[in-house]
Amino acid sequence: MNLEKLEEIILKNLENKTEEAKRVFHGRGNFYKDFNYLSVDSLGKILFATFHDLIEEEKEKSIIELLNKIAVLKEFDIFIVQRKYKKEGLFEAIKGEIPKSYEVIENGLKYKVTFSNRNIGIFFDMKKGREFVASICKDKNVLNLFSYTCAFSVTAINSGAKQVVNVDMAKGALTTGRENHHLNNLDTKKVKFMPYDILKSWSRIKKFAPYDVIVIDPPAFQKGSFAATKDYEKIIRRLDELASENCVVLSTLNDPMIGTDFVKEQFISFAPSFKFDRRLENLEEFKALDEEKSLKNLIFIKQNSNKT
């Protein structure tokens, strides 16, 4: 695959450009040979490109020149490059200036992002998961574990959830989460923001149980706090004491080295009352050569023991 083909794909994906956030090139799924280090997003007035790996300087320069041409052609006000492989100085404005903060739109809802941290504030590949939660949460009590900036909470409250409990040890992320609710004029009286280490805070979390919907969206690995291979089971073991009858769990994992069987086996071993229902399809924009190495959104439903 060459630069001409890259340009063709991005322009095609920008044909119906709107204010809504959309991935217009996804190299991380290894679907496009020679560009697996690159992702490009359309964020309203911003074209945002991320280089996940260090590549040859001239090649990077050529890609940036091409993307800048596209930014001008498609009338983006700003074009930002993120070099995610670096430890500092990750962001550079190629066109326009980097805003101190910015709002992106997904399904009509606003989310604050900042071009300063390694992760800007929302994971766009989780859109289908948020849509699923929105479809089932009306009048429900929702637990949002590893809530980050509370995007699941925003969509749940907007869709009529009775209450959402957000838990994440990053206070700054929860502060942004509160702002995300305010951006959308949502009542935060129905929302809890709990800045705790989940694995050490079950009594606090249980206080607001039982939960009708539980979202488990951990990092695959976070040094010093969470490793999916050894810590995922600690969450699954707690589900029965947190869940209402017929509780629905959205269990997610985005680690190319860990497949769906790992998650299913966790439930079979440590929460057998929850039965696997289905896996949500990933967005077409995030297509992968091997789906087992892509985002895994798995739905489990608690079986009512009173049923005959």
Side-chain angles (χ1 to χ4, degrees), residues 2 8 37 79 118 121 123 177 203 207 217 238 251 264:
N2 54 27
E8 178 187 327
Y37 49 81
F79 169 36
R118 192 167 296 277
F123 294 103
S203 60
K207 180 181 176 182
D217 185 20
R238 297 283 182 167
S251 182
K264 290 178 183 178

Side-chain angles (χ1 to χ4, degrees), residues 220 228-229 253-260 262 290 292-294 296:
T229 51
L253 197 58
N254 196 1
D255 186 331
M257 305 307 293
I258 304 176
T260 54
F262 169 82
D290 181 353
E292 278 298 293
K293 293 186 176 181
S294 65
K296 290 154 279 279

Side-chain angles (χ1 to χ4, degrees), residues 110-237:
K110 300 174 182 177
Y111 300 93
K112 179 183 176 181
V113 298
T114 55
F115 302 97
S116 55
N117 298 320
R118 192 167 296 277
N119 295 315
I120 65 173
I122 186 170
F123 294 103
F124 299 115
D125 57 352
M126 196 56 75
K127 182 178 180 180
K128 288 276 191 180
R130 287 187 282 271
E131 289 175 346
F132 171 73
V133 169
S135 74
I136 65 167
C137 70
K138 184 172 174 58
D139 300 322
K140 301 292 177 62
N141 188 22
V142 180
L143 174 61
N144 184 19
L145 297 176
F146 305 95
S147 61
Y148 188 40
T149 56
C150 307
F152 273 106
S153 181
V154 169
T155 193
I157 290 295
N158 184 68
S159 298
K162 180 173 65 177
Q163 175 178 261
V164 181
V165 176
N166 299 289
V167 191
D168 197 293
M169 65 191 302
K171 290 183 180 180
L174 289 175
T175 298
T176 299
R178 192 183 295 274
E179 291 176 23
N180 282 337
H181 288 78
H182 293 158
L183 278 177
N184 294 285
N185 299 312
L186 298 172
D187 185 4
T188 53
K189 290 178 183 177
K190 300 178 179 180
V191 187
K192 309 294 182 187
F193 301 94
M194 300 175 66
Y196 305 127
D197 182 337
I198 290 166
L199 301 181
K200 299 177 181 178
S201 307
W202 294 116
S203 60
R204 289 186 175 107
I205 295 168
K206 191 177 178 181
K207 180 181 176 182
F208 301 102
Y211 298 99
D212 307 301
V213 179
I214 299 175
V215 178
I216 307 169
D217 185 20
F221 179 78
Q222 195 167 64
K223 188 174 181 180
S225 62
F226 191 87
T229 51
K230 69 180 181 70
D231 292 328
Y232 215 90
E233 71 171 69
K234 297 175 184 177
I235 299 166
I236 307 306
R237 285 178 182 273

